[in-house]
Amino acid sequence: GENVEQHPSTLSVQEGDSAVIKCTYSDSASNYFPWYKQELGKRPQLIIDIRSNVGEKKDQRIAVTLNKTAKHFSLHITETQPEDSAVYFCAAVFGNEKLTFGTGTRLTIIP
Amino acid sequence: DGGITQSPKYLFRKEGQNVTLSCEQNLNHDAMYWYRQDPGQGLRLIYYSQIVNDFQKGDIAEGYSVSREKKESFPLTVTSAQKNPTAFYLCASSPQVNQPQHFGDGTRLSIL
């Protein structure tokens, strides 16, 4: 079935260090993988996305890597700052229509 | 994202009552979506619509209904058949399916 698994569920990182969140998906036909950041009580906001014809994409301190063979993709945040503290969700499109979300990772940056 | 407006921000439902959550977008997006988020959980898809006058069930459609009479509007009705409606409801839109989705600020629904 359509499934996205996300790990870890919580992550604490010292300010300035890197954070990595990993997701696996079940449908080899999935071709679009966005990442969302959600601060407490607020809307999810798209921070980066990647399509299946690309292996890696970077935007300043944020990068996403995709391994289609292994069906997993990862979010990398470098030089973490306190404002990076939030819940991060990965997602994958199934059947070219439906976006299925992972269960989220609560990232805490320790000053 | 000012392009998607959800109302009200907070809503209370009595037993046996239907309530309707509003979602309006001025982004000229074809696709719209409704998600439910429970505390500490991810987002689960209730219904989605790819185009006006068409919509499909998501993963948890039971107890909910939608309509898409206008491109800009995709209201969600939480019916009395939904026995556990307390949650945070998020509406989203995208130019088309398989493209980045933009979310509204959400409606928090509680039971009286």
Side-chain angles (χ1 to χ4, degrees), chain A residues 2 31-32 36 38 41-44 46 49 51 89 93 96-103, chain B residues 1-2 35 37 40-43 45 48 50 59 88 90 97-101 103-105:
Chain A
E2 303 158 355
N31 59 9
Y32 176 61
Y36 287 85
Q38 187 178 30
K42 296 191 176 181
R43 70 178 81 189
L46 180 72
D49 57 7
R51 296 199 178 267
F89 293 98
V93 168
N96 212 35
E97 291 186 0
K98 293 165 50 177
L99 197 60
T100 296
F101 285 80
T103 51
Chain B
D1 192 335
Y35 294 92
Q37 187 174 31
Q41 301 292 317
L43 283 71
L45 183 64
Y48 65 105
Q50 298 184 64
D59 300 317
F88 188 47
L90 285 158
V97 294
N98 207 19
Q99 291 187 316
Q101 294 184 17
F103 285 83
D105 284 330

Side-chain angles (χ1 to χ4, degrees), chain A residues 38 87 89 102-104 106, chain B residues 35-46 60 64 82 84-90 107-109:
Chain A
Q38 187 178 30
V87 178
F89 293 98
T103 51
R106 182 173 300 279
Chain B
Y35 294 92
R36 169 178 172 143
Q37 187 174 31
D38 293 285
Q41 301 292 317
L43 283 71
R44 293 185 290 168
L45 183 64
I46 305 172
I60 55 166
Y64 301 97
Q82 173 48 246
N84 184 24
T86 298
F88 188 47
Y89 291 86
L90 285 158
T107 292
R108 195 167 297 279
L109 176 62

Side-chain angles (χ1 to χ4, degrees), chain A residues 3-67:
Chain A
N3 190 41
V4 176
E5 293 190 2
Q6 183 171 348
H7 300 282
S9 57
T10 60
L11 179 61
S12 294
V13 172
Q14 207 71 35
E15 182 178 353
D17 288 350
S18 296
V20 180
I21 303 170
K22 299 180 180 180
C23 289
T24 59
Y25 59 97
S26 57
D27 186 357
S28 58
S30 295
N31 59 9
Y32 176 61
F33 308 90
W35 284 89
Y36 287 85
K37 174 183 180 182
Q38 187 178 30
E39 298 178 15
L40 189 63
K42 296 191 176 181
R43 70 178 81 189
Q45 292 193 307
L46 180 72
I47 55 172
I48 196 167
D49 57 7
I50 192 167
R51 296 199 178 267
S52 57
N53 58 343
V54 175
E56 182 176 1
K57 183 177 178 181
K58 291 184 73 173
D59 183 3
Q60 299 182 335
R61 297 187 296 108
I62 294 173
V64 56
T65 58
L66 172 64
N67 183 327

